[in-house]
């Protein structure tokens, strides 16, 4: 099984009797098109920190950026484990996703250019970044590092016909 094809399992304990596991391709489409994600990290003292952000799905991972002095950057420097969530604010329709993984900093300019192009393609020209020296540079002079979260586990919560699908990428 490759990193790109997770093991898929419907958890019947939390699913309607008629529910079926959501295909990974449906989750990928949702990750690629979701406008807003919520990033959960842990502060050095153990308290949680959650913040909304924009992210792009590219090369089988979510990518986001942050300034070096932001709380999430400090948290991830200490503990790279994180969760990104996205979904629908409705009880009777949609798919909520919870992506677990480790945030890995990227500094390779060719890779960052592909990610910058993905940001501009998804969010429009206001989210066009210049890439240099291993970082995103915004039009206002801000500099952001880019992080990649390859999923280890993803949970999908279907609504309407309630379901809980789990996709596992590791050997556990």
């Amino acid at each position: 099984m490759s990193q790109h094809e997770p093991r898929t399992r419907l958890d019947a304990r939390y699913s309607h009797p008629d529910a079926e596991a959501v295909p990974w391709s449906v989750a990928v489409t949702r990750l690629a098109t979701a406008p807003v994600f919520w990033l959960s990290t842990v502060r050095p003292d153990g308290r949680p920190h959650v913040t909304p952000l924009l992210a792009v799905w590219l090369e089988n991972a979510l990518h986001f950026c942050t300034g070096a002095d932001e709380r999430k950057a400090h948290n991830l420097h200490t503990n790279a484990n994180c969760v990104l969530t996205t979904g629908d604010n409705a009880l009777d329709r949609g798919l909520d996703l919870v992506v677990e993984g480790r945030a890995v900093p990227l500094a390779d300019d060719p890779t960052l250019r592909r990610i910058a192009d993905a940001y501009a393609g998804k969010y429009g020209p206001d989210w066009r970044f210049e890439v240099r020296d291993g970082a995103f540079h915004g039009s206002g002079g801000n500099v952001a590092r880019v992080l990649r979260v390859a999923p280890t586990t993803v949970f999908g919560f279907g609504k309407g016909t309630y379901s809980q699908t789990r996709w596992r990428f590791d050997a556990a």
Side-chain angles (χ1 to χ4, degrees), residues 142-167:
N142 55 320
V143 178
R145 66 184 223 180
V146 178
L147 296 109
R148 176 182 197 271
V149 177
T152 55
T153 303
V154 178
F155 291 94
F157 300 93
K159 296 183 280 188
T161 300
Y162 291 96
S163 65
Q164 180 179 313
T165 303
R166 180 176 68 182
W167 299 276

Side-chain angles (χ1 to χ4, degrees), residues 76-141:
L76 292 168
H77 180 74
T78 303
N79 180 352
N81 294 301
C82 64
V83 173
L84 287 143
T85 60
T86 193
D88 298 286
N89 195 22
L91 289 175
D92 60 350
R93 68 184 183 289
L95 178 66
D96 295 337
L97 295 169
V98 176
V99 178
E100 298 177 351
R102 292 181 59 80
V104 176
L106 301 175
D108 173 59
D109 282 358
T111 300
L112 295 181
R113 282 188 197 92
R114 289 193 304 277
I115 297 167
D117 289 344
Y119 261 93
K122 182 176 181 179
Y123 295 108
D126 289 345
W127 293 95
R128 167 65 64 191
F129 296 102
E130 180 184 337
V131 173
R132 68 175 184 277
D133 304 323
F136 278 2
H137 295 261
S139 60

Side-chain angles (χ1 to χ4, degrees), residues 41-50 71-72 74-79:
T41 61
V42 178
R43 298 171 196 258
D45 66 4
R47 292 180 298 135
H49 178 264
V50 179
R71 176 80 265 153
K72 61 185 168 283
H74 291 292
N75 294 349
L76 292 168
H77 180 74
T78 303
N79 180 352

Side-chain angles (χ1 to χ4, degrees), residues 46-58:
R47 292 180 298 135
H49 178 264
V50 179
T51 189
L53 52 71
L54 306 181
V56 296
W57 178 261
L58 183 69

